[in-house]
């Protein structure tokens, strides 16, 4: 029987995984083989936790293939939009879930699933709703359009116990300042996996960008 403590344990797992990741690559794939190649390049650069967006027909097959061929990589399913996506992600082997926004029905399903999850919100009211349901980490999306660092800092006062994983419009150059905020555990981004690089198979560039991101995370941890 699932209990409230199971849900809180899953939140602990989500927080620990994203805090250790620091930077979460958000990847859109066209095939399972492409997903494996990208995950391998990211892991080579030091980013061993990734999010595969459920935006293409290949996404679930890519999650399953990565988990089979690179079991050490922690793979999340992103763009989880409806409760049915939760079971689809679970069956593919996803380690955690990330949403682009959170309806009441989706929030309830995430709590019931007990899968480590980071639901998204865009306003203080939405963040309060998530906190009231017991979520202790939320994705702030799309942070670049919402006010960026200024909003992150303003939220610290009224929501000191809610950790954030901002995503949407963050650049490599901005990452250190985001990671320096006490309420930020991780930033999501796609600057290390641009679609033109992926289409051209530029995996060396992906690995190099991942290595730069890893250095930023490590530097933030020492600051």
């Amino acid at each position: 029987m699932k209990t409230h403590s199971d849900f809180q344990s899953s939140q602990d797992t989500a927080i620990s995984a994203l805090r250790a990741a620091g930077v979460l690559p958000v990847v859109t794939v066209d095939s399972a083989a492409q997903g494996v190649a990208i995950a391998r390049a990211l892991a080579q650069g030091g980013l061993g936790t990734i999010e595969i967006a459920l935006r293409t027909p290949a996404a679930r097959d890519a999650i399953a293939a990565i988990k089979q061929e690179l079991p050490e990589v922690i793979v999340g399913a992103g763009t989880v939009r409806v409760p049915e996506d939760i079971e689809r992600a679970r069956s593919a082997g996803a380690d955690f879930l990330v949403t682009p926004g959170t309806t009441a029905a989706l929030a309830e399903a995430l709590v019931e699933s007990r899968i480590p999850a980071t639901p998204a919100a865009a306003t203080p009211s939405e963040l309060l709703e998530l906190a009231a349901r017991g979520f202790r980490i939320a994705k702030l999306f799309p942070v670049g359009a919402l006010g960026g660092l200024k909003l992150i800092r303003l939220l610290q006062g009224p929501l000191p116990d809610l950790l954030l994983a901002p995503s949407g419009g963050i650049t490599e150059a901005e990452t250190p300042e985001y990671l320096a905020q006490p309420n930020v555990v991780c930033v999501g981004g796609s600057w290390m996996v641009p679609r033109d690089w992926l289409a051209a198979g530029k995996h060396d560039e992906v690995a190099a960008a991942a290595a730069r991101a890893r250095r930023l995370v490590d530097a933030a941890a020492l600051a």
Side-chain angles (χ1 to χ4, degrees), residues 49-95:
T49 300
I50 67 173
E51 175 188 331
I52 300 293
L54 299 181
R55 299 175 185 170
T56 64
R60 283 186 289 161
D61 287 342
I63 292 170
I66 293 166
K67 292 306 299 179
Q68 180 175 357
E69 298 194 32
L70 302 167
E72 71 280 7
V73 173
I74 300 172
V75 186
T79 321
V80 172
R81 298 178 296 180
V82 294
E84 292 76 14
D85 285 337
I86 296 173
E87 188 52 44
R88 296 182 187 120
R90 188 203 302 270
S91 65
D95 296 302

Side-chain angles (χ1 to χ4, degrees), residues 131-150:
R133 290 181 179 273
F135 289 100
R136 291 181 286 116
I137 183 170
K139 171 182 172 180
L140 188 62
F141 178 82
V143 70
L146 296 172
L149 285 161
K150 183 177 180 180

Side-chain angles (χ1 to χ4, degrees), residues 20-46:
V23 168
L24 180 66
V26 181
V27 186
T28 302
V29 298
D30 295 319
S31 70
Q34 184 191 55
V36 171
I38 296 165
R40 183 174 285 114
L42 289 168
Q44 178 184 339

